[in-house]
Amino acid sequence: MKTTQIKTLVWMLFLSILLPLSCKKPIPKNLSQESIIPLPANIKLPENVIPEPANISKDEQVYSGFELLKDCKVLFDGNQNELERIATPFFNQIRKTTKFPIPFENLNANKLEGNIYIGISPTVKEEEGYNLEIKNDRIILLAKNPSGIFYGMQTLMQLLPDEIESQSAIIQDPIIVACGIIDDYPRYAYRGAMLDVSRHFLPSEDVKTYIDQIAKYKINYLHLHLSDDQGWRIEIKSWPKLTEIGGSTEVGGGKGGYFTQEQYKDIVNYAKDHFITIVPEIDMPGHTNAALASYAELNCDNKATKLYTGIDVGFSSLCVKKDITYKFIDDVIRELSEITPGPYIHIGGDESHSTPHDDYITFIDKIAPIVKKYNKKMIGWEEVATANIDQNTICQYWKSDSIANIASKKNAQIIYSNAKHCYLDMKYDTKTPLGLHWAGYIDVKTSYDWDPNTISPEIPEQSIAGIEAPIWTETIKNLKDLDFLAFPRIISIAEIGWTPKEKRNWEGYKKRLGDQYNRLKARNINFYKSEEIPWKIQDNKINK
C-alpha cells in the first residue's frame, strides 16, 4: 500500500475516534471564508490551526471556535444602559431561535470565560469602527462609539447560522463561531439609500421594515423623497392643503397618503435606533405639481393645476419670481427642520425643465440661505452645481460627469448615485416584471462591479461624501415590490460604501451573496433570485 494511502486511512481513523468524543460539534469555517457582507476591512486568523492532512490547501484550513452555550452571558463595560439598548433586539432574536436565556450583566464580578463582552474603548480609532475578537472561550466586541457596537453586532449575526434570523425556526445544532479578529471600519461616512414615497405612498410600517433590512448591511442614511408631482407626503401645519389635496392621490390614481408630523418623528426615532439618519427631501422648483395643485398662489397665473397621476417629468415649476414662493419654502423648511434632528435637508433641484435657466440659478441661490438659517446643510441633485454653491452644499451625482466635476471644483462634496449603477428601480433585464429601463438594465454585477473613482476619475477621493442607492416608485406599490427591486442590489451598494476598494472583487462577492440565500429567506425578503449568483439553497432549515 502506498504511503499516501496509509496516511489517509490513519487520518480517517483519527476522525472516527475524535468526532464522538467531541459530541459531534461542527467545525467552524475559516473566518476569512465566512460570507460577511459588507466585507470587513481586516480579518486576522488565529494561530491555533486544527491539524489537517498535509495536502489540504490554506483556504480550507479550519480553526477552533467559540461555542454559544445555554449559560452564556452578555457582559457590558461602559454606558450599560446605552449598550443594553443597542444589544437588546440583537440578542432577543438569538434568544428566540435558541431558547437560551442569555442574560445581560455588568462586567463586575463576572468572568469573561464562556461569555460575550461588549464595551466602549478608546483603542478603536475609527468613528464607526469596531474590533470583534472571537476566542475559544469568549467573544469581545469593542468600539469607539455606540454606532461601532451596532455594526459589530451585524457582523456577529452573520457569523451565526442563517436560521438565527428566522421568525419560527428553533436551532437544535451546536452554534460555533470561528475564531479570529475582525478590525473593521467604513470607507465612506455617508452610506445611503433613498426611498421615494411620492409616486406611490408607502406607509410608515413599510418604511420601518426597509430600515430594518438596510441597517443589517451598515447603511447609515435613509433619504426620503417626500414630495413630487404625484404626491405631497409630509404634513406641513402652516400649509394644510399640501396633504389634504396634494397627498390625496398617486401614480395610477390610487388613494395616496401622507405622514403626519408625529408619524414622521416616529420614523426618525426608529431610524436613529438603527443608527440611520433620515434625510428629508422636498423637491423644487420642479417636480412640484402636488404643491401647485394644492395652492393656486404658487402658480404664476394664480390658477391651481390639476392633480397628476402619470410618470412624466419636467413639466412643473414653482413661480420663482413671486415672494409667496419663498414664504412657502421658508415655512416648509422651518417645520421640517424642527422635526428632523439630522444635519441635512435635501432640496431636490433636478429636471427643472420648465424653469428658465437664469430663474433656476436665482432660485437655488435664494434657497441655500433658508436652509442654512435653520441650521441645516443643503443637499441637492447634481443640477444645483450650476448655481452659486460652495463647500456647504452636497451635490448628489446621478447622471452627468461634467456637472459633478463642476461641483467638485466649487469645493462641494459629492454623493454618488449614478443611475446606470445605483438606481434600484431599473429592471434587472428585459424579463423583469417591475421597474423602468431609461438608464439601462442593471443586473447584480452592474450594481456591484464599479467604483466612484472609476466613474469620475477627475474627482478626488476627499471630495466624495459617500454613495446612495435611490429607488423610485413608479412601478412599486407595496413592500413586496420594493423588496424585489431593492434586493439584492442594495447589498451591493452597501459593500461599495463600506469595504475598502482593494478588498472588493466580483467573484468573491457573488459567492458571499449566494451564501446569504437562506438568511434573506429567513428575513422574509422577496428578493430577486438572479441567475448570476450561485445561490446556496437550504430551504429546509428556514421557517420550519
Side-chain angles (χ1 to χ4, degrees), residues 226-448:
L226 294 169
S227 70
D228 213 298
D229 292 316
Q230 298 85 353
W232 187 283
R233 307 303 183 197
I234 181 66
E235 176 189 22
I236 301 298
K237 293 181 179 181
S238 56
W239 296 74
K241 291 182 183 179
L242 290 171
T243 48
E244 291 173 11
I245 296 174
S248 65
T249 192
E250 61 187 12
V251 167
K255 66 178 182 178
Y258 64 91
F259 303 124
T260 66
Q261 291 196 6
E262 289 304 311
Q263 289 172 328
Y264 175 82
K265 287 189 286 187
D266 181 54
I267 291 171
V268 168
N269 290 331
Y270 190 84
K272 182 181 178 182
D273 286 342
H274 293 72
F275 292 88
I276 289 176
T277 299
I278 297 295
V279 179
E281 178 187 353
I282 302 298
D283 208 345
M284 50 188 165
H287 289 280
T288 47
N289 191 76
L292 299 173
S294 302
Y295 287 95
E297 57 266 42
L298 298 178
N299 295 273
C300 288
D301 61 4
N302 292 312
K303 295 179 181 179
T305 60
K306 294 181 179 180
L307 290 169
Y308 182 67
T309 60
I311 62 171
D312 289 338
V313 299
F315 62 87
S316 62
S317 178
L318 293 169
C319 192
V320 173
K321 295 182 179 180
K322 294 177 74 172
D323 290 341
I324 190 66
T325 295
Y326 300 98
K327 172 66 167 64
F328 162 72
I329 292 169
D330 192 289
D331 286 340
V332 170
I333 298 300
R334 172 179 52 79
E335 290 196 33
L336 200 53
S337 296
E338 289 171 353
I339 57 177
T340 302
Y344 303 121
I345 296 288
H346 201 303
I347 57 88
D350 64 317
E351 297 178 321
S352 296
H353 306 319
S354 295
T355 310
H357 181 65
D358 289 344
D359 287 350
Y360 176 84
I361 293 175
T362 298
F363 179 84
I364 299 300
D365 288 349
K366 285 186 175 182
I367 296 304
I370 295 175
V371 175
K372 186 178 181 179
K373 180 172 72 170
Y374 293 108
N375 298 313
K376 300 298 180 183
K377 189 167 185 175
M378 187 175 81
I379 302 178
W381 295 103
E382 63 189 35
E383 288 93 329
V384 302
T386 61
N388 298 305
I389 64 167
D390 57 21
Q391 69 274 8
N392 294 313
T393 300
I394 296 178
C395 288
Q396 191 162 359
Y397 162 57
W398 66 282
K399 71 171 183 177
S400 173
D401 278 351
S402 60
I403 296 180
N405 288 335
I406 290 172
S408 178
K409 290 175 182 177
K410 292 182 178 181
N411 296 317
Q413 285 197 299
I414 310 295
I415 295 172
Y416 273 81
S417 297
N418 45 309
K420 292 181 179 180
H421 297 279
C422 295
Y423 271 34
L424 305 183
D425 52 297
M426 295 296 105
K427 291 175 176 284
Y428 292 92
D429 55 33
T430 58
K431 298 177 182 179
T432 308
L434 296 173
L436 303 174
H437 57 86
W438 58 263
Y441 298 100
I442 302 178
D443 56 23
V444 181
K445 183 177 182 182
T446 301
S447 73
Y448 180 83

